[in-house]
Amino acid sequence: MHDLYGWLNEQNGGIRTYAEFHRKAQQLAREDAENAAILALLGRVAARFVARYEGEPLPVDNASDAIVEFRDLLNKATEITSASDTDKLAFANMVATFDLPGVKTN
């Protein structure tokens, strides 16, 4: 999770960042059984963001807001990996309903 956070901090926050994050998170979820659910859910957040802007331009303000929030979310995820199972479950439930700025929920 720490490597993924380091990678995200080096990215510019464009749509490709989220598409690549989704791919990386899904791969890590297959390799890290203890954190698989959180990784899969984080990947889903990124995938929803990509889907929202598929074929549309990503406004600079949305990109800036989204990358800040996504980095913060991933930072919390790195901290939660050493927490209790109850805290991990609460965090996973929060991530399951989390959307980045610009993502429209139905």
Side-chain angles (χ1 to χ4, degrees):
M1 192 87 63
H2 290 284
D3 290 343
L4 191 57
Y5 180 68
W7 174 84
L8 184 62
N9 278 327
E10 296 173 0
Q11 304 307 305
N12 66 9
I15 289 298
R16 279 184 249 160
T17 296
Y18 297 95
E20 182 66 12
F21 182 93
H22 178 248
R23 189 193 66 72
K24 286 177 175 289
Q26 297 307 307
Q27 179 63 38
L28 286 172
R30 287 187 288 277
E31 298 168 2
D32 182 0
E34 189 172 326
N35 297 301
I38 290 173
L39 285 162
L41 289 168
L42 289 167
R44 194 174 121 203
V45 169
R48 283 196 310 268
F49 192 73
V50 170
R52 164 60 184 94
Y53 288 102
E54 190 171 345
E56 295 181 27
L58 173 59
V60 174
D61 289 344
N62 286 33
S64 297
D65 292 346
I67 196 66
V68 168
E69 283 196 40
F70 201 52
R71 286 177 180 150
D72 185 48
L73 182 66
L74 190 53
N75 184 47
K76 290 175 188 171
T78 62
E79 294 169 357
I80 207 76
T81 58
S82 61
S84 69
D85 288 344
T86 301
D87 289 342
K88 286 181 182 179
L89 179 59
F91 181 76
N93 284 333
M94 185 276 295
V95 173
T97 60
F98 183 89
D99 280 314
L100 291 167
V103 176
K104 295 178 182 172
T105 56
N106 295 337

